[in-house]
């Protein structure tokens, strides 16, 4: 079995819940198209998952074609619960779609997931925390774990030092080099490493810029050059090795409605460009990999 022999298999609930639920797993980036409205993504989502549900439950007659009605039908006839996993849930916000389409999307998720008996567990991953506003049904049934507050799951927000040390030992790599390049993210007092950077680099001859090459640093430049009061001065201080005070609770979880320096710096924490020390209420550049990119941006200004 997939998890046999791993730490999770020692948990008291492992056998209790093993193979009990059907799972619907969706990567929304595979459905969203920038040149089409969000409604097209939602219709395609209903169609693709609906097709699989019809194959899995051929004995059932589905009156509705939307995903919500089909799952409700399965629940009322078979009492089957589902674990629903949505990856990249915030992709439409990162694409900056019009506000009315954002509202349509949030209403879809709320109607699909909130207070539904067929949902045993809904798990969503993304960069942005959920924004409950805009006069839509709120997604307030989630427990949120972010880069500013992941307690008590902070050890799962990235690779721990022991995990990186063991990977280096297993693959004959210099742990101290990995520490210099990738250590520095702090989540609820625990130091973690970016899993993408570590796993991408473990097969190379030496550490280098890995994760940064997968991201759009044009976006980082846009945030720094946003014209928002205090941002350039704060970034200059951070690049020089300093820290800046922030209050992440004041950020409204939006990519576009950035009004204050605090908004920009908090967003950069969620994007992975800064790390937040909750005990001090400050942010800083986490490690050498990210610092090099800030330095490169500064040289081109």
């Amino acid at each position: 079995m997939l998890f046999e022999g791993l730490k999770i298999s020692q948990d008291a609930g492992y056998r209790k819940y093993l193979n009990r639920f059907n799972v619907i797993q969706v990567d929304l980036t595979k459905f969203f198209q920038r040149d089409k409205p969000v409604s097209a993504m939602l219709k395609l989502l209903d169609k693709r998952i609906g097709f699989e549900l019809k194959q899995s439950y051929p004995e059932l007659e589905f009156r509705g074609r939307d995903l919500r009605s089909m799952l409700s039908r399965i629940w009322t006839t078979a009492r089957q619960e589902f674990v629903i996993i949505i990856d990249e849930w915030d992709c439409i916000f990162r694409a900056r779609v019009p506000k009315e389409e954002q509202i349509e999307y949030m209403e879809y998720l709320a109607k699909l997931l909130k207070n539904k008996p067929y949902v045993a567990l809904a798990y969503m991953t993304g960069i942005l925390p959920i924004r409950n506003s805009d006069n839509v049904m709120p997604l307030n049934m989630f427990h949120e774990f972010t880069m500013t507050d992941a307690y008590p799951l902070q050890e799962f927000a990235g690779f721990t030092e022991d995990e990186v040390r063991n990977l280096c030992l297993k693959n004959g790599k210099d742990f101290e080099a990995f520490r210099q390049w990738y250590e520095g993210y702090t989540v609820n007092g625990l130091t973690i490493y970016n899993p993408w950077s570590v796993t991408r680099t473990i097969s190379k001859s030496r550490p280098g810029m890995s994760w940064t090459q997968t991201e759009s640093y044009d976006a980082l430049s846009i945030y720094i050059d946003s014209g928002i009061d205090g941002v350039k001065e704060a970034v200059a201080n951070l690049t020089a090795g300093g820290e800046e005070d922030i209050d992440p609770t004041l950020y409204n979880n939006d990519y576009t409605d950035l009004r204050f320096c605090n908004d920009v710096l908090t967003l950069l924490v969620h994007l992975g460009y800064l790390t937040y020390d909750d005990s001090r209420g400050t942010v800083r550049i986490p490690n050498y990999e990210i610092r090099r990119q800030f330095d490169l941006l500064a040289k081109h200004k």
Side-chain angles (χ1 to χ4, degrees), residues 191-252:
T191 295
I192 62 170
Y193 294 67
N194 185 330
W196 176 262
S197 295
V198 173
T199 54
R200 289 273 294 179
T201 307
I202 218 70
S203 61
K204 297 180 180 179
S205 58
R206 57 189 175 86
M209 295 174 69
S210 178
W211 171 74
T212 55
Q213 294 176 347
T214 72
E215 297 294 317
S216 172
Y217 271 82
D218 289 338
L220 176 58
S221 181
I222 290 172
Y223 295 132
I224 294 175
D225 293 332
S226 62
I228 296 175
D229 187 43
V231 169
K232 285 192 174 182
E233 293 80 2
V235 169
N237 178 43
L238 292 166
T239 305
E243 297 182 346
E244 289 287 327
D245 296 331
I246 69 164
D247 183 350
T249 65
L250 299 178
Y251 174 56
N252 63 0

Side-chain angles (χ1 to χ4, degrees), residues 10 28 37 48 56 63 68 72-73 77 81 101 103 115 192 195 198-199 221 236 256 270 273 294:
Q10 308 303 315
L28 284 183
R48 292 279 181 86
S56 299
R63 298 181 181 88
R68 177 163 45 107
S72 295
R73 175 68 171 163
T77 57
E81 296 176 281
E101 294 188 39
I103 294 174
N115 300 325
I192 62 170
V198 173
T199 54
S221 181
T256 56
H270 291 303
Y273 302 130
F294 273 87

Side-chain angles (χ1 to χ4, degrees), residues 83-267:
V83 171
I84 300 177
I85 302 173
I86 300 177
D87 193 18
E88 305 283 3
W89 87 275
D90 57 346
C91 64
I92 72 157
F93 300 100
R94 304 202 303 269
R96 298 173 173 83
V97 302
K99 183 67 67 175
E100 59 271 17
E101 294 188 39
Q102 295 180 23
I103 294 174
E104 179 184 9
Y105 171 64
M106 293 291 285
E107 289 180 339
Y108 174 92
L109 290 179
K111 292 176 181 178
L112 175 66
L113 302 175
K114 189 171 184 177
N115 300 325
K116 293 298 185 288
Y118 53 74
V119 178
L121 171 71
Y123 180 81
M124 300 199 306
T125 70
I127 293 173
L128 283 181
I130 295 170
R131 181 179 182 181
N132 287 313
S133 61
D134 301 318
N135 297 318
V136 300
M137 184 186 297
L139 296 175
N140 56 4
M141 66 288 197
F142 283 98
H143 297 287
E144 292 193 78
F145 307 97
T146 71
M147 293 303 289
T148 60
D149 186 8
Y151 183 83
L153 302 181
Q154 58 267 23
E155 65 178 295
F156 305 111
F159 283 171
T160 64
E161 183 170 294
D162 285 343
E163 289 171 331
V164 176
R165 189 187 300 274
N166 290 334
L167 279 172
C168 288
L169 181 64
K170 181 179 178 180
N171 291 275
K173 302 297 182 181
D174 180 5
F175 170 71
E176 291 303 323
F178 274 72
R179 185 205 295 273
Q180 177 187 7
W181 271 86
Y182 308 125
E183 181 193 32
Y185 291 101
T186 302
V187 183
N188 296 98
L190 180 69
T191 295
I192 62 170
Y193 294 67
N194 185 330
W196 176 262
S197 295
V198 173
T199 54
R200 289 273 294 179
T201 307
I202 218 70
S203 61
K204 297 180 180 179
S205 58
R206 57 189 175 86
M209 295 174 69
S210 178
W211 171 74
T212 55
Q213 294 176 347
T214 72
E215 297 294 317
S216 172
Y217 271 82
D218 289 338
L220 176 58
S221 181
I222 290 172
Y223 295 132
I224 294 175
D225 293 332
S226 62
I228 296 175
D229 187 43
V231 169
K232 285 192 174 182
E233 293 80 2
V235 169
N237 178 43
L238 292 166
T239 305
E243 297 182 346
E244 289 287 327
D245 296 331
I246 69 164
D247 183 350
T249 65
L250 299 178
Y251 174 56
N252 63 0
N253 304 337
D254 195 290
Y255 265 84
T256 56
D257 186 19
L258 303 173
R259 293 175 291 172
F260 305 104
C261 181
N262 185 84
D263 296 337
V264 175
L265 297 184
T266 305
L267 175 58

Side-chain angles (χ1 to χ4, degrees), residues 27-76:
D27 180 349
L28 284 183
T29 60
K30 296 180 179 179
F31 291 83
F32 175 65
Q33 295 176 292
R34 293 177 182 269
D35 60 339
K36 294 184 179 180
V38 167
S39 58
M41 177 190 79
L42 300 180
K43 289 179 180 178
L44 181 60
L45 195 65
D46 282 351
K47 181 179 179 180
R48 292 279 181 86
I49 299 177
F51 177 77
E52 294 188 23
L53 289 175
K54 289 178 181 179
Q55 287 188 315
S56 299
Y57 296 90
E59 72 280 7
L60 296 184
E61 180 181 350
F62 295 103
R63 298 181 181 88
R65 295 183 179 182
D66 62 285
L67 181 56
R68 177 163 45 107
S69 65
M70 296 181 76
L71 291 174
S72 295
R73 175 68 171 163
I74 293 170
W75 165 252
T76 56

